Amino acid sequence: MKLHRESKGTITVATILFIVLGVLAIYFLKMWSLLIIMPLLVIYCLVFWFFRVPDRSILDHKENVIAPVDGKVVMIKEVEEGEFLNGKAIQVSIFMSPLNVHICRYPVTGKVIYKKYHPGKYLVAWHEKSSTENERTTVAVETLTHHKVVFRQIAGYVARRIVFYCNEGDQAKAGHEFGFIKFGSRMDVFLPLDTEITCKIGDITKGGLDVIAKLKKS
């Protein structure tokens, strides 16, 4: 199993804690130490599971909007996007639980024309106001169909570390990685009003594979 590059520090700390607590449990509890060691082992394995990198065959896309993360579609609605688009857009939000793969992928192919990090609160990720009040990043891409698509990584109550690697001027490829969020969180995608939405609330998505919308051809 491949592990994500963001796992290094967390796994190092988890390994040290597991060894120290395990040794202390054996020393003080003797035969009863398994009552401590087994739950610790489960948590330790979950840390590795969280940072897994699945092997996925990413196709080339032009009009298709690809799910940027693994998770559950929790919102599809018309909103006012005031940071970059300054107008109405269709917002598709996908919530990630701590057990989901947390790699963040470009939803569309094109050129990165905007990026910004915002410090903020840590409301639960499914809260509607988390899109504008939580710690977050905003990225905009001008697509091959000449649309401007905005997407946003949002930290949640547990997720308090957002990483994104893209820069303005970079070439974005739908389905390919641009960032990572540690633990439960959310991704919002803001699309033109004439976009054909192909997902529905409650759908379970696989990042980089599932088509959630189709942009109007230029």
Side-chain angles (χ1 to χ4, degrees):
M1 179 178 66
K2 293 182 181 179
L3 294 176
H4 196 274
R5 54 180 163 171
E6 296 295 336
S7 68
K8 189 174 181 180
T10 302
I11 287 179
T12 299
V13 172
T15 300
I16 293 171
L17 287 175
F18 178 69
I19 293 173
V20 170
L21 293 175
V23 169
L24 289 175
I26 293 171
Y27 182 80
F28 288 106
L29 300 177
K30 306 297 192 259
M31 62 178 296
W32 298 102
S33 62
L34 285 178
L35 295 175
I36 301 296
I37 292 174
M38 292 310 295
L40 286 176
L41 181 60
V42 171
I43 295 172
Y44 186 58
C45 290
L46 285 175
V47 172
F48 280 83
W49 180 250
F50 175 83
F51 286 105
R52 68 196 184 279
V53 178
D55 186 15
R56 293 179 181 173
S57 298
I58 308 299
L59 303 177
D60 292 331
H61 298 276
K62 183 178 179 181
E63 293 92 6
N64 288 341
V65 181
I66 304 303
V69 291
D70 290 25
K72 181 179 181 179
V73 179
V74 295
M75 183 186 300
I76 302 173
K77 66 183 294 187
E78 184 178 315
V79 298
E80 188 79 20
E81 200 293 307
E83 179 178 347
F84 180 80
L85 298 175
N86 295 311
K88 293 187 180 299
I90 300 174
Q91 177 181 334
V92 179
S93 298
I94 301 174
F95 173 74
M96 294 168 278
S97 80
L99 295 179
N100 285 127
V101 174
H102 273 56
I103 295 170
C104 299
R105 305 171 186 272
Y106 289 111
V108 291
T109 298
K111 182 179 179 181
V112 177
I113 56 175
Y114 177 84
K115 60 168 279 189
K116 189 170 184 179
Y117 166 79
H118 303 270
K121 300 178 181 178
Y122 297 100
L123 302 173
V124 289
W126 58 82
H127 196 295
E128 188 170 347
K129 289 186 177 180
S130 66
S131 183
T132 55
E133 295 187 11
N134 276 23
E135 179 187 7
R136 61 200 181 278
T137 68
T138 301
V139 179
V141 167
E142 184 169 359
T143 72
L144 298 179
T145 54
H146 306 294
H147 295 91
K148 291 180 174 62
V149 172
V150 171
F151 43 100
R152 189 169 288 148
Q153 296 170 295
I154 302 169
Y157 184 73
V158 176
R160 302 198 175 205
R161 177 162 165 73
I162 296 175
V163 181
F164 67 140
Y165 315 117
C166 61
N167 292 297
E168 291 182 18
D170 285 356
Q171 294 300 309
K173 293 190 69 176
H176 290 258
E177 181 181 357
F178 79 89
F180 193 89
I181 311 179
K182 292 189 177 181
F183 305 107
S185 42
R186 195 175 103 191
M187 278 280 292
D188 290 347
V189 182
F190 298 88
L191 301 164
L193 294 178
D194 60 359
T195 302
E196 177 190 350
I197 305 299
T198 59
C199 64
K200 61 183 183 300
I201 292 177
D203 281 357
I204 304 300
T205 62
K206 284 194 175 295
L209 299 180
D210 294 338
V211 177
I212 60 171
K214 292 185 178 181
L215 297 169
K216 188 175 181 180
K217 293 183 180 179
S218 57

